[in-house]
Amino acid sequence: IAPSWGDNALLEVCGARLVEVLVAADYHVTIRAHPMTVRESPRVMADLKKRFGGHPLVDLETDISSEESLRSSDVMISDWSGAAFEFAFGLERPVLFIDVPRKVLNPGYEELSLIPVEVALRAEMGAVVSADALEEVPAQIQLLSGDRDGYLERIRELREKWIYNVGSSGSVGAEYIAQAADRAMSTLS
């Protein structure tokens, strides 16, 4: 579980209940709490630690500097976190999104009449389950992990369509910066 943070984020809205459902289905659960959740929601973190701190199927990560738990996971469960896109596009694995209220940092986005990529790609990168239907999560995980090759292909196609310069972004970015610097220097001469 690697969610965003804030009053309407997954851990705050239904995190403990989600962990209960997963543990009851005999899943190993790693909770990768967002650093802002650790800082801003100490009651949520204390409750999770109290309820699941000693549970053999639950790991609570408050230091997310290691990527090991991500690399060893078959499916990520998230909300509106950018980590979901990193997981899907970087590790080529599906994400199960819990549909909590959107985290909108720019309410003016609606004036553009465009669907944000974070909204448009959720169901294509995995599945979406309502926060009111958490009992569906184990079955959805089975479907996602059971179609590993299908999601691998789909996620690769999405990455190719939406992410530019995959595998060469460092050199492409460096070349762009060098050209911009050359243009800036030529205007000074």
Side-chain angles (χ1 to χ4, degrees):
I1 301 172
S4 187
W5 63 278
D7 292 340
N8 290 320
L10 190 155
L11 290 181
E12 287 78 357
V13 171
C14 60
R17 177 71 184 122
L18 175 61
V19 175
E20 287 173 354
V21 168
L22 292 167
V23 167
D26 207 33
Y27 280 106
H28 180 263
V29 180
T30 300
I31 305 167
R32 281 180 63 92
H34 192 287
M36 290 299 290
T37 298
V38 174
R39 191 170 96 192
E40 301 291 328
S41 298
R43 283 194 356 239
V44 170
M45 296 306 300
D47 180 55
L48 288 170
K49 187 173 184 177
K50 179 180 175 185
R51 293 172 78 168
F52 305 107
H55 198 290
L57 291 177
V58 180
D59 293 323
L60 182 58
E61 291 184 359
T62 56
D63 175 4
I64 60 170
S65 59
S66 171
E67 296 176 359
E68 182 53 38
S69 63
L70 294 174
R71 293 183 185 284
S72 65
S73 296
D74 294 321
V75 175
M76 175 187 277
I77 300 175
S78 194
D79 49 17
W80 294 99
S81 176
F85 285 79
E86 295 170 15
F87 181 84
F89 290 149
L91 297 175
E92 300 176 330
R93 296 184 195 143
V95 178
L96 177 59
F97 293 94
I98 304 300
D99 204 21
V100 296
R102 286 186 194 178
K103 184 175 185 177
V104 178
L105 299 178
N106 177 10
Y109 85 92
E110 293 174 333
E111 296 172 16
L112 298 174
S113 300
L114 299 173
I115 299 172
V117 70
E118 294 90 347
V119 175
L121 297 187
R122 292 173 102 206
E124 293 186 59
M125 290 176 16
V128 181
V129 172
S130 168
D132 296 326
L134 295 178
E135 65 280 353
E136 297 175 12
V137 168
Q140 286 297 320
I141 291 173
Q142 285 296 111
L143 290 171
L144 294 172
S145 57
D147 188 16
R148 192 177 197 114
D149 291 338
Y151 278 101
L152 175 67
E153 184 177 329
R154 187 172 306 128
I155 288 168
R156 285 179 176 172
E157 289 171 2
L158 290 170
R159 183 177 61 200
E160 186 64 32
K161 178 178 180 179
W162 292 97
I163 307 297
Y164 297 99
N165 305 309
V166 173
S168 62
S169 60
S171 60
V172 170
E175 179 63 30
Y176 179 83
I177 292 168
Q179 289 174 2
D182 288 346
R183 284 191 301 276
M185 292 301 289
S186 68
T187 60
L188 295 175
S189 306

